[in-house]
Amino acid sequence: MGNTSSLLTQYDIEEVQQYCNHTFSQQEIVALYGRFCQLDRNGGGFVSADEFMSLPEFAVNPLSKRLLRMVNGLNFKEFVGFLSNFSPRASLQQKIEFIFKIYDVDCHGRVTFDNMLDIMRDLTGQYISEQQRQQVLTLVLEDAGYTKDSSLVLSDFMKILGNSGLKMEVEIPVD
């Protein structure tokens, strides 16, 4: 499975399904393998940041720079594992853990007000002022029982986003 020129076997498919907690069907995994092979232009078995940036939907995503640190150098199994966070079959906890990793840029298990503000800057660009971003974020944190000085851990994210009706899904076209 390391070499993209090889065919995907039934064993490979089942291994990938198990790795991603069965968030994709066998047909979806085969379709994702085709997409992975298209992205892996040099056939090395890994997808680089540049290859990911060749995807228009990835390149225009305001969080693409943050996501690149998570996707650079993924093999096929890791690629599907990454995408499993966007599967309709992924649990809410899995989705929130993924979001937490995006916010926790230094990977120390805590998210600060400044980390959240950086994400808001990426998402809002010039559409709202810095003062408005800070006010909105302060209100959201206060509504959840936190302050601007709080350092949030994963369980805090679960508390804040757990009842949010979070939708984070992509459809995998299957031929």
Side-chain angles (χ1 to χ4, degrees), residues 2-43:
N3 183 355
T4 57
S5 63
S6 66
L7 294 175
L8 202 57
T9 67
Q10 182 64 33
Y11 175 81
D12 293 333
I13 294 169
E14 290 171 4
E15 181 183 349
V16 170
Q17 271 190 306
Q18 186 171 356
Y19 181 77
C20 69
N21 296 316
H22 298 273
T23 52
F24 293 117
S25 69
Q26 290 191 11
Q27 285 181 310
E28 289 170 323
I29 289 172
V30 169
L32 287 170
Y33 186 70
R35 185 65 169 165
F36 179 83
C37 291
Q38 289 172 347
L39 284 173
D40 182 20
R41 291 187 297 259
N42 68 4

Side-chain angles (χ1 to χ4, degrees), residues 121-172:
R121 280 186 204 106
D122 291 344
L123 292 173
T124 60
Q126 301 299 320
Y127 295 107
I128 65 173
S129 71
E130 185 69 11
Q131 182 182 2
Q132 289 171 314
R133 278 191 278 271
Q134 288 184 18
Q135 288 172 339
V136 167
L137 187 52
T138 300
L139 287 172
V140 168
L141 288 172
E142 286 174 356
D143 283 350
Y146 300 96
T147 69
K148 151 179 199 175
D149 297 323
S150 298
S151 185
L152 307 180
V153 295
L154 179 59
S155 60
D156 298 323
F157 257 60
M158 292 291 194
K159 177 183 169 187
I160 294 169
L161 296 175
N163 296 320
S164 67
L166 180 65
K167 279 285 196 192
M168 195 173 80
E169 299 176 1
V170 293
E171 188 176 320
I172 308 299

Side-chain angles (χ1 to χ4, degrees), residues 23-125:
T23 52
F24 293 117
S25 69
Q26 290 191 11
Q27 285 181 310
E28 289 170 323
I29 289 172
V30 169
L32 287 170
Y33 186 70
R35 185 65 169 165
F36 179 83
C37 291
Q38 289 172 347
L39 284 173
D40 182 20
R41 291 187 297 259
N42 68 4
F46 299 90
V47 180
S48 70
D50 289 339
E51 289 167 327
F52 268 104
M53 288 305 283
S54 72
L55 295 169
E57 57 268 37
F58 195 83
V60 299
N61 186 317
L63 299 178
S64 63
K65 288 181 181 150
R66 292 176 182 278
L67 294 171
L68 280 179
R69 72 179 168 83
M70 301 171 86
V71 300
N72 191 24
L74 296 183
N75 64 27
F76 175 64
K77 186 165 63 171
E78 295 163 339
F79 174 77
V80 175
F82 173 80
L83 292 176
S84 70
N85 295 296
F86 301 96
S87 169
R89 293 180 206 100
S91 69
L92 179 62
Q93 179 168 342
Q94 182 180 347
K95 292 175 187 291
I96 293 172
E97 287 172 0
F98 178 76
I99 292 169
F100 185 81
K101 287 177 188 175
I102 293 171
Y103 279 80
D104 184 16
V105 291
D106 53 7
C107 302
H108 70 301
R110 296 197 169 283
V111 174
T112 65
F113 183 84
D114 288 338
N115 295 142
M116 291 180 269
L117 200 53
D118 286 343
I119 292 277
M120 283 190 70
R121 280 186 204 106
D122 291 344
L123 292 173
T124 60

